[in-house]
């Protein structure tokens, strides 16, 4: 067992710190990396250029992953014909391995009857729209185990680095970066409100509380508002306006949204804009850009978002996987935030500490080979991973040779 823990930790250490021996180690892909993201910038918008430049540097996005467009930005809705022209350019400039898009602007955020983020993912298609309170086309990525949506589902989810000023977006990006591998000890606040029409997804909150018992602290509350909480990691509610947000402390990486008709109308909304969540300190949010009616499928499922986030997925992956019918909804925030991604740190000479977070009980398997191409063979007994946070401390000499493969589920 001692040898297993040592080897596990050795693997993750080189993943976290990109040591030379990393080429000898194969690890599970728990979430998107900067190389998986294409950053879309509107060069006609000075704020977009500023946001794009800062994000590229903060997340070390490869220069070849940056897609430059040029079009008028002073409008909320992008005409369908113009979007299709821009989408053609985007598709041509998107490298084949790209899995998702980060969009460096706030306006426009809508394409006809679709959100911009869904139009980028699916292409503009009216089957993702609804004029008479009907269901819309499903999201093939919903609650998927896929780590490569472009390969497996032929979609590239998108998220907007949205804000009304550079300072707001800079803070958002900094929160996302700060959240990485942080294993926040926060609480999920799931509110069943007095607004019956907007409370439609609260029936799933009890499942979330049961599912994550011993994993996350979850508070199911029959109230319209919470205030003065210092540990907000998730906040899901249903109201046209959510009060007391400025009294809350959102932990880096927090996901938060409100089910209402026009939360995704980011500017000039008759209801509270989803931007208010980001301004209050959340790292990602969601809202609909046109009338969705109160279908819970058109909004994030708390249990699904929390589950995938806990596996080490990024914010864009966890949020996108949580919405069954996302055609009318806009995803905003810092896409690469990953608070529950595995962490390995060196604590002393030949001494390491590994953290893994898991929503399920699981096992670790370690295999080794003398050659990169294999064959790989198990080198130790399976080691249990418990629900929640797991910490391993061990000694290891970094000059170990060979090829290793780590697997967990």
């Amino acid at each position: 067992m001692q040898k297993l823990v040592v080897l596990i930790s050795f693997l993750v250490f080189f993943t976290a710190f990109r040591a030379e021996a990393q080429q000898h180690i194969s690890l599970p892909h728990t979430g998107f990396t900067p190389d998986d993201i294409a950053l879309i910038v509107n060069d006609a918008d000075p704020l977009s250029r500023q946001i794009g430049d800062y994000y590229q540097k903060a997340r070390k996005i490869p220069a070849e992953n940056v897609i430059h467009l040029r079009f008028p930005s002073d409008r909320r809705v992008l005409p369908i014909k113009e979007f299709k022209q821009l989408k053609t350019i985007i598709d041509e400039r998107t490298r084949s391995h790209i899995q998702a898009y980060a969009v460096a602007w706030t306006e426009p955020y809508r394409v006809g009857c679709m959100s911009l983020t869904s139009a980028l993912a699916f292409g503009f298609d009216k089957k993702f729209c609804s004029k008479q309170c009907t269901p819309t086309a499903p999201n093939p990525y919903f609650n998927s185990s896929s780590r490569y949506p472009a390969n497996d589902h032929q979609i590239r989810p998108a998220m907007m680095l949205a804000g009304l000023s550079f300072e707001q977006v800079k803070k958002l990006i900094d929160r996302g970066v700060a959240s990485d591998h942080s294993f926040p000890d926060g609480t999920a606040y799931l509110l069943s409100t007095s607004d019956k029409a907007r409370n439609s997804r609260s029936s799933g909150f009890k499942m979330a509380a049961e599912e994550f018992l011993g994993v996350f602290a979850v508070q199911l509350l029959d109230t319209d508002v919470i205030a003065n909480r210092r540990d907000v990691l998730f906040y899901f509610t249903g109201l046209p306006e959510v009060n007391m947000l400025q009294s809350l402390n959102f932990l880096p990486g927090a996901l938060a949204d409100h089910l209402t008709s026009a939360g995704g109308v980011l500017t000039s909304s008759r209801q509270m804009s989803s931007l208010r969540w980001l301004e209050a300190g959340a790292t990602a949010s969601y809202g609909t850009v046109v009338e969705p009616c109160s279908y819970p499928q058109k909004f994030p499922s708390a249990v699904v978002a929390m589950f995938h986030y806990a596996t080490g997925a990024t914010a864009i992956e966890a949020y996108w996987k949580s919405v069954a019918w996302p055609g009318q909804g806009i995803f905003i925030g810092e896409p690469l935030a990953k608070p529950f991604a595995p962490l390995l740190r060196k604590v002393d000479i030949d001494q390491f500490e590994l953290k893994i977070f898991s929503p399920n009980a699981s096992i670790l398997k370690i295999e080794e080979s003398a050659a990169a191409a294999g064959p790989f063979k198990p080198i130790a007994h399976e080691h249990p991973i418990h629900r929640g946070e797991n910490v391993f401390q061990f000694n290891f000499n970094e000059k170990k040779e060979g090829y290793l493969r780590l697997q967990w589920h």
Side-chain angles (χ1 to χ4, degrees), residues 287-308:
T288 48
V289 300
V290 295
E291 177 58 61
C293 299
S294 58
Y295 288 106
Q297 297 95 326
K298 295 184 180 182
F299 293 86
S301 161
V303 68
V304 176
M306 292 165 64
F307 174 83
H308 288 287

Side-chain angles (χ1 to χ4, degrees), residues 24-248:
H24 292 269
I25 302 162
S26 174
L27 298 177
H29 182 76
T30 63
F32 293 155
T33 68
D35 194 51
D36 295 319
I37 295 286
L39 173 62
I40 307 176
V41 179
N42 180 5
D43 287 339
D45 179 353
L47 180 57
S48 178
R49 294 199 308 270
Q50 192 175 15
I51 291 169
D53 181 65
Y54 187 78
Y55 192 61
Q56 182 186 3
K57 293 175 181 176
R59 279 300 188 186
K60 298 180 173 60
I61 306 292
E64 56 269 29
N65 287 15
V66 181
I67 299 173
H68 292 275
L69 305 175
R70 183 173 289 274
F71 63 92
S73 61
D74 55 345
R75 50 198 165 151
R76 298 188 293 274
V77 182
L78 194 61
I80 297 169
K81 182 179 179 180
E82 185 175 353
F83 169 77
K84 289 183 176 180
Q85 294 170 343
L86 293 171
K87 183 69 162 58
T88 297
I89 296 172
I90 292 169
D91 290 344
E92 290 173 349
R93 297 178 182 177
T94 299
R95 303 169 74 205
S96 60
H97 72 277
I98 294 296
Q99 300 299 316
Y101 295 118
V103 181
W105 66 75
T106 302
E107 289 185 335
Y109 51 81
R110 175 179 156 187
V111 180
C113 52
M114 291 182 71
S115 72
L116 177 67
T117 52
S118 290
L120 285 169
F122 303 118
F124 181 81
D125 192 327
K126 288 187 177 179
K127 70 182 181 183
F128 291 98
C129 304
S130 173
K131 291 184 178 179
Q132 298 178 338
C133 286
T134 56
T136 58
N139 174 16
Y141 193 43
F142 175 70
N143 202 23
S144 168
S145 61
S146 171
R147 301 297 186 190
Y148 302 95
N151 304 39
D152 300 333
H153 301 293
Q154 293 71 56
I155 70 167
R156 290 185 170 95
M159 181 172 278
M160 299 181 70
L161 295 158
L164 300 181
S165 69
F166 173 70
E167 188 58 32
Q168 287 181 2
V169 182
K170 179 181 180 298
K171 290 180 179 179
L172 167 68
I173 294 168
D174 291 346
R175 288 196 299 275
V177 174
S179 78
D180 292 356
H181 315 286
S182 61
F183 296 82
D185 185 15
T187 298
Y189 293 95
L190 311 180
L191 272 59
S192 181
T193 71
S194 61
D195 190 323
K196 293 183 179 179
R198 297 177 177 87
N199 200 40
S200 60
R201 63 176 169 172
S202 65
S203 59
F205 289 170
K206 183 178 179 181
M207 180 189 298
E210 294 171 349
E211 182 74 20
F212 297 111
L213 182 65
V215 178
F216 293 122
V218 179
Q219 289 197 18
L220 300 179
L221 301 172
D222 293 320
T223 183
D224 284 353
V225 67
I226 58 173
N228 302 314
R229 309 298 175 101
R230 312 306 299 167
D231 62 347
V232 183
L233 182 57
F234 303 99
Y235 187 170
F236 297 109
T237 186
L239 286 173
E241 190 87 20
V242 183
N243 297 319
M244 303 300 292
L245 291 184
Q246 299 305 324
S247 76
L248 304 175

